[in-house]
């Protein structure tokens, strides 16, 4: 059951291949309910609708940034590099960014929910570029989903794809190495 819940939104791609859930919060919730119905009927995961509802309500509270995110963002900020979060997500993640202390380290937050486009669509990338005031050739996109995150390549955005790995450290210090920012000391990687 835990493995399914951990990877639930990856499974959703099979049911919602056009990522409609990331464009509308109502559809996001509907897709969540469809995924739980699938888990009950097809996978035999015994979760009541009340439990599923409770999990949806607390889901944003359980999201935690990678432990190397804040130190890397602080390092980038220290040398004047602007940063935008570009995400396919059907709920507003600003409360998560504020709670985790990441919001003040970001210059722009571009969510598919607000833009009406999901990665790899060019519009979500151009919205971020416009917000930052940078040319595509000056940008570096960092992501972990090739099918979505490489969408900016056609616009001339250099793209770094990091593998999805277990654990909370994701290798983001590589960004500092690429752009010449100070590499954070791993002692700064503090888990909540």
């Amino acid at each position: 059951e835990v493995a399914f819940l951990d990877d639930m939104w990856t499974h959703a791609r099979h049911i919602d291949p056009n990522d409609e859930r990331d464009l509308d919060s109502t559809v996001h919730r509907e897709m969540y309910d469809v995924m739980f119905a699938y888990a009950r009927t097809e996978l035999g995961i015994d979760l009541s609708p009340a439990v599923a509802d409770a999990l949806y309500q607390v889901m944003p509270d359980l999201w935690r940034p990678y432990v190397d995110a804040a130190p890397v963002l602080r390092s980038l900020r220290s040398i004047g590099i602007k940063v935008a979060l570009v995400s396919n997500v059907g709920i507003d993640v600003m409360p998560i960014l504020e709670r985790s202390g990441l919001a003040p380290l970001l210059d722009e937050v571009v969510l598919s929910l607000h833009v009406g486009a999901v990665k790899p669509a060019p519009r979500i990338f151009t919205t971020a570029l416009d917000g930052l005031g940078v040319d595509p050739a000056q940008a570096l996109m960092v992501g972990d989903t090739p099918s979505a995150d490489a969408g900016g390549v056609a616009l001339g955005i250099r793209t770094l794809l990091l593998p999805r790995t277990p654990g909370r450290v994701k290798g983001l210090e590589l960004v500092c190495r690429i752009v010449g920012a100070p590499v954070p000391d791993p002692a700064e990687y503090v888990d909540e």
Side-chain angles (χ1 to χ4, degrees):
E1 292 176 2
V2 172
F4 174 79
L5 293 174
D6 234 12
D7 209 22
M8 183 172 72
W9 293 113
T10 301
H11 297 296
R13 289 187 184 114
H14 302 292
I15 296 170
D16 180 27
N18 295 321
D19 299 316
E20 297 295 322
R21 68 191 176 280
D22 291 332
L23 295 171
D24 182 291
S25 59
T26 302
V27 175
H28 188 269
R29 176 55 200 248
E30 290 169 358
M31 183 54 55
Y32 177 88
D33 292 337
V34 167
M35 291 305 302
F36 265 98
Y38 170 81
R40 277 192 303 276
T41 60
E42 300 298 321
L43 303 177
I45 296 174
D46 188 23
L47 290 173
S48 72
V51 170
D53 182 57
L55 286 172
Y56 190 82
Q57 298 306 318
V58 300
M59 178 180 55
D61 298 331
L62 301 175
W63 288 355
R64 301 284 182 264
Y66 302 142
V67 296
D68 47 349
V72 167
L73 291 173
R74 282 192 294 273
S75 178
L76 296 174
R77 184 164 291 276
S78 78
I79 64 167
I81 293 180
K82 294 180 182 180
V83 177
L85 171 74
V86 179
S87 182
N88 288 351
V89 64
I91 62 171
D92 185 6
V93 296
M94 283 307 297
I96 297 166
L97 297 172
E98 290 165 2
R99 177 191 75 228
S100 67
L102 295 183
L105 300 173
L106 299 167
D107 299 288
E108 286 291 317
V109 176
V110 180
L111 307 177
S112 58
L113 173 69
H114 298 143
V115 175
V118 295
K119 298 180 286 183
R123 189 164 99 212
I124 195 165
F125 294 102
T126 58
T127 300
L129 292 169
D130 292 346
L132 293 174
V134 300
D135 185 81
Q138 297 172 306
L140 173 66
M141 170 63 193
V142 179
D144 63 4
T145 308
S147 60
D149 295 329
V153 170
L155 299 171
I157 300 172
R158 288 169 177 80
T159 301
L160 171 64
L161 295 172
L162 297 172
R164 290 186 180 192
T165 56
R168 301 281 313 282
V169 177
K170 296 300 177 182
L172 295 172
E173 82 285 342
L174 183 58
V175 175
C176 294
R177 295 178 196 285
I178 290 171
V179 302
V183 176
D185 183 331
E188 296 179 59
Y189 299 169
V190 179
D191 202 355
E192 290 181 14

